[in-house]
Amino acid sequence: MSAQIIDGKAVAAAQRDRIAAEVADLTAAGVQPGLAAVLVGDDPASHVYVGMKEKDCAAVGMRSLGARLPSDVTQETLHAEIDRLNEDPQVHGIIVQMPLPDHLDEVAAQDRIAPEKDVDGLHPHSQGQLMRGVPTYVPATPLGCQVLLEHYDIPLSGANVVIVGRSTLVGRPLAMLLSRKGVDATVTCCHSRTKDLAAHTRGADIVIMAVGVARMLTADMVREGAVVIDVGITRGEDGKLVGDVDFDGVAEVAGWITPVPGGVGPMTRAMLLENTLRAARTQSGQPSS
Ligand code: NDP
């Protein structure tokens, strides 16, 4: 293997330590950051994700307030619950765990969250501010990718970045984040209709995969020395997590590479805490340390 490993687990641990220290200071000043997760129904994966978020909050000293609603809840009751959390001064960040049951409107629920508590960064206000180049809350996964790249001093200004995937959650906000003034990457956003994907990825200094197709980026699609960030997660038949990158092959060619697990995933979890911390600071008027 020639590539150096981008160790998301270690960077996320350092981020959590910093966040925990800041949470302790803020709590001592009378403001304990609080995150509320709205969980609807009995989807086992959603319960696992919310459980992880609660554990992450506890580990850095944040308060977590779960709101559990039955799977047959109406849109009106869901909105009333979000309104209640919007009004609760102990809650600084609100997330609605997706997916919601089919009868509910996910976008309407996201739009109901007060913009200043939108720590998932999915409200039109957050996405609009990012589009304007003055982000408020950036979705945790794109933010985690940027922090990882900066941690390893990977040059972004003028770099050719190819992002494969254009979702509202990952690909598009990441394109906005890296192409804005001050970061200055030249970004190409590819998707399922892109012609000759390999021609794009081969021309990239940095390839970021956010698709959800196991091992689709192979060594012949990457130029020598490129940086490869793997956001994708698929569960293999053996139950193990697999990324969008054929790790063993690509690591022979790339200069830097993230593993799966242990790359972007831990950063996503840490950046939700970072957004909640920032939300608590902003809402309480406490300047950042
Ligand atoms: P979506 O399904 O919303 O988006 C996938 C994107 O990939 C779409 O833009 C789609 O194109 C594109 N795509 C699909 N097939 C191809 C193809 N053959 N060639 C090129 N592009 C293709 O997924 P998300 O953005 O929500 O998530 C992407 C992956 O990242 C998933 O595996 C998810 O589990 C993972 N993930 C990981 C996180 C982490 O913390 N590590 C956090 C969030 C997500 P089109 O728009 O044309 O359909």
Side-chain angles (χ1 to χ4, degrees):
M1 188 175 89
S2 67
Q4 302 191 63
I5 297 291
I6 295 178
D7 188 347
K9 207 171 156 189
V11 178
Q15 291 283 330
R16 274 198 310 274
D17 288 348
R18 174 191 52 82
I19 292 166
E22 290 192 39
V23 168
D25 288 348
L26 204 53
T27 304
V31 183
Q32 184 184 17
L35 175 68
V38 179
L39 177 56
V40 180
D42 310 310
D43 178 48
S46 293
H47 277 261
V48 170
Y49 291 137
V50 169
M52 277 169 19
K53 287 165 189 171
E54 289 174 350
K55 221 174 99 199
D56 289 346
C57 281
V60 296
M62 287 183 185
R63 182 185 283 126
S64 62
L65 303 101
R68 305 282 191 271
L69 298 170
S71 53
D72 62 354
V73 71
T74 62
Q75 191 83 33
E76 290 68 32
T77 305
L78 172 60
H79 285 183
E81 184 62 22
I82 295 170
D83 291 346
R84 187 183 69 73
L85 296 168
N86 282 339
E87 296 298 321
D88 186 341
Q90 292 195 332
V91 172
H92 303 100
I94 302 170
I95 57 169
V96 177
Q97 184 64 45
M98 299 296 163
L100 293 176
D102 287 346
H103 70 282
L104 294 173
D105 182 339
E106 295 184 343
V107 172
Q110 279 162 358
D111 292 0
R112 194 80 180 191
I113 295 172
E116 67 273 18
K117 297 193 177 185
D118 175 41
V119 288
D120 260 346
L122 297 172
H123 190 282
H125 181 268
S126 308
Q127 300 237 329
Q129 288 298 108
L130 178 57
M131 173 84 183
R132 284 175 163 175
V134 279
T136 51
Y137 299 109
V138 177
T141 304
L143 187 58
C145 291
Q146 185 188 6
V147 170
L148 263 188
L149 290 164
E150 288 175 348
H151 177 88
Y152 284 91
D153 290 328
I154 290 164
L156 288 167
S157 180
N160 288 325
V161 178
V162 168
I163 300 169
V164 188
R166 58 172 166 182
S167 70
T168 316
L169 186 64
V170 188
R172 254 177 306 153
L174 188 53
M176 288 297 143
L177 198 58
L178 299 185
S179 62
R180 83 197 148 106
K181 218 171 174 57
V183 182
D184 299 320
T186 304
V187 178
T188 306
C189 205
C190 299
H191 47 79
S192 65
R193 304 295 164 93
T194 297
K195 282 185 199 159
D196 198 355
L197 181 66
H200 288 281
T201 56
R202 266 197 297 270
D205 302 310
I206 302 172
V207 181
I208 306 179
M209 295 298 294
V211 177
V213 174
R215 299 188 187 94
M216 75 174 274
L217 189 84
T218 47
D220 57 310
M221 297 170 75
V222 176
R223 78 159 177 71
E224 185 104 23
V227 178
V228 177
I229 306 287
D230 193 353
V231 177
I233 301 175
T234 313
R235 201 169 280 281
E237 278 172 17
D238 56 2
K240 289 192 178 147
L241 296 184
V242 186
D244 288 347
V245 176
D246 175 25
F247 183 89
D248 292 342
V250 172
E252 294 297 330
V253 183
W256 293 91
I257 191 168
T258 58
V260 173
V264 175
M267 292 302 295
T268 297
R269 292 173 65 175
M271 291 302 104
L272 178 62
L273 300 173
E274 168 68 16
N275 279 348
T276 305
L277 172 63
R278 284 209 311 112
R281 282 197 186 288
T282 309
Q283 285 157 52
S284 63
Q286 302 274 345
S288 48
S289 55

